[in-house]
């Protein structure tokens, strides 16, 4: 299959998903806002979302991300990319409605690859059913966590248990009304080789000693899934809940973040597309100084640049997806890092211009643009800050000419 061919099954999912977006998801957006406002609780699970989940399931638009046919349609990354992009156009509703939201997708892959039979029964199955949610808990407030080797949480072995002590933050999803389980990274052996010190463990969110301290706001928004600061005080974890084995935490983190990163990029392109659509509609429907705003040369320039930029980031995303499918995540690491830098940055620029064209309305919640902006800005940090990805790309580039050193 060439890069530009779409398989028959991917084309079918695409048209079914577009139909679902038009007939159910976009009309649900205002209902969602009303239900959230009426609940007065930012972490409320609104009935409209449960209705959308049931509909998506009925339409076969469920677990679209899952690469294993046993659990989902078994699409390749290249086939999934256009679908994730479409879901990204309504980021508060569509990904969760189709059971394709972060960080659950990454966690489901970890449970699939490294979970015991018990983990699969207790957590993977309900995650795949969409009845529970999960969090991925690595970042700590006290250390620079973009270098995961800095993570300090102590995981001390005592008999056939580990005792967890430490403070974590930015655990996305931990405040979701349905969150039941966390995958937690800490240090089991601070004295061994740097990349063998860390382990990952499965911890129920209500385990004794786990205290959710607060939900961290993002540009003033309390996201529905929440980003929690969590205290772990003498939390006892049975040895059977260590994933893959002691010292394997770093390896799991690397495996987990590849697909998750590119999914974020695909959804970012969807946000950029929707922002461009809103920009064009608004610019043509509002008039200043006797002509539509869209008749000004600078606005046309922005529109053209946005189209060019979207096409470029989409192509790079598809290339990264194609390489992940054909030569593997490791061999695709430069392209994954490159798109993780480019997609949020470019989408952010397009959303910013769409906000400008909307005037004061652009910064309100009457349009999705302000929330898109806040979300995309955080993507320049989450799953690795831009600079860390650029560092990895530069290292590979320099390695080509190392004889010059
Ligand atoms: C909305 C949101 C959701 C998140 N969700 C999760 C989650 O679910 N689970 C989780 O564990 N974490 C999560 N994170 C945390 C995220 O992964 C970290 O913020 C990120 O890894 C950076 O770590 P840090 O914040 O400690 O920044 P630091 O490591 O302190 O780095 C600060 C800054 O230093 C600069 N920098 C770092 N290294 C270099 C370098 N080599 N060269 C040049 N500059 C450099 C970068 O600009 C970086 O932003 C989330 C973050 C956000 C904002």
């Amino acid at each position: 299959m060439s890069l530009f061919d779409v398989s028959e099954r991917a084309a079918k999912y695409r048209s079914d998903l577009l139909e679902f977006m038009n007939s159910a998801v976009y009309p649900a957006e205002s209902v969602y806002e009303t239900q959230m406002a009426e609940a007065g609780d930012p972490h409320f699970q609104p009935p409209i979302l449960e209705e959308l989940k049931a509909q998506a399931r009925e339409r076969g638009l469920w677990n679209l991300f899952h690469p294993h046919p046993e659990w989902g349609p078994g699409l390749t990354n290249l086939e999934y990319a256009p679908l994730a992009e479409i879901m990204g156009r309504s980021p508060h509703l569509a990904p969760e409605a189709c059971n394709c939201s972060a960080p659950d997708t990454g966690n489901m892959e970890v449970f699939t690859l490294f979970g015991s039979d018990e983990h699969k029964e207790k957590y993977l199955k309900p995650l795949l059913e969409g009845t529970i949610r999960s969090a991925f808990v690595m970042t700590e407030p006290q250390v620079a966590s973009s270098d995961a080797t800095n993570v300090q949480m102590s995981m001390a072995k005592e008999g056939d248990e580990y005792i967890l002590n430490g403070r974590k933050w930015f655990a996305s999803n931990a405040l979701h009304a349905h969150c039941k389980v966390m995958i937690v990274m800490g240090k089991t052996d601070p004295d061994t080789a740097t990349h063998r010190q860390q382990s990952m463990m499965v911890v129920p969110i209500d385990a004794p000693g786990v205290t959710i301290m607060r939900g961290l706001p993002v540009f003033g928004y309390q996201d529905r899934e929440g980003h929690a600061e969590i205290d772990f005080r003498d939390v006892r974890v049975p040895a059977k809940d260590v994933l893959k084995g002691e010292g394997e935490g770093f390896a799991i983190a690397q495996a987990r973040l590849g697909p998750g990163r590119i999914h974020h990029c695909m959804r970012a392109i969807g946000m950029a597309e929707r922002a461009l659509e809103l920009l064009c509609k608004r610019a043509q429907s509002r008039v200043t100084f006797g002509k539509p705003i869209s008749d000004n040369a600078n606005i046309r320039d922005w529109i053209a640049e946005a189209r060019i930029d979207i096409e470029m980031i989409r192509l790079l995303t598809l290339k990264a997806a194609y390489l992940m499918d054909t030569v593997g995540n490791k061999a695709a690491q430069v392209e994954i890092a490159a798109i993780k830098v480019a997609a949020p940055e470019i989408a952010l620029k397009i959303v910013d211009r769409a906000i400008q064209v909307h005037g004061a309305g652009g910064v309100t919640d009457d349009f999705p643009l302000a929330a898109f902006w806040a979300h995309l800005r955080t993507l320049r940090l989450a799953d690795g800050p831009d600079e860390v990805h650029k560092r990895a790309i530069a290292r590979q580039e320099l390695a080509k000419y190392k004889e010059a050193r």
Side-chain angles (χ1 to χ4, degrees), residues 136 138-139 143-146 170 172 378 381 383 385 387-388 391:
F136 182 71
M138 181 167 76
T139 303
V143 295
S145 303
S146 41
F170 276 96
S172 300
T378 70
L381 297 161
D383 280 358
E387 293 74 16
V388 172
R391 174 178 173 271

Side-chain angles (χ1 to χ4, degrees), residues 284-337:
Q284 291 187 96
S285 65
R286 306 262 285 194
V287 174
T288 59
F289 308 104
K291 59 182 182 186
I293 290 171
S294 61
D295 281 6
N296 294 290
N298 71 312
I299 304 294
R300 291 191 172 221
D301 225 42
W302 289 358
I303 291 168
E305 280 181 16
R307 172 53 57 215
I308 295 165
D309 283 346
I310 288 174
E311 296 300 324
M312 289 198 296
I313 52 174
R314 184 181 288 124
L315 272 180
L316 183 51
T317 307
L318 292 176
K319 181 184 176 192
Y322 176 75
L323 289 175
M324 288 165 81
D325 292 335
T326 50
V327 290
N329 299 353
K330 199 168 160 52
Q333 58 185 326
V334 166
E335 284 77 8
I336 295 173

Side-chain angles (χ1 to χ4, degrees), residues 77-144:
N77 286 296
L78 191 58
E79 288 172 320
Y80 178 61
L83 308 181
E85 180 186 322
I86 293 167
M87 288 185 269
R89 294 171 62 98
S90 187
H92 291 311
L93 288 179
E96 187 167 336
C98 298
N99 214 37
C100 290
S101 51
D104 296 300
T105 50
N107 291 344
M108 285 187 247
E109 289 193 51
V110 169
F111 280 127
T112 305
L113 292 172
F114 309 115
S116 63
D117 287 347
E118 189 192 335
H119 295 144
K120 287 184 178 146
E121 193 55 36
K122 208 165 161 187
Y123 301 119
L124 178 60
K125 240 172 145 179
L127 278 167
L128 289 161
E129 298 282 324
T131 52
I132 68 165
R133 306 258 65 111
S134 61
F136 182 71
V137 184
M138 181 167 76
T139 303
E140 299 179 0
Q142 302 304 337
V143 295

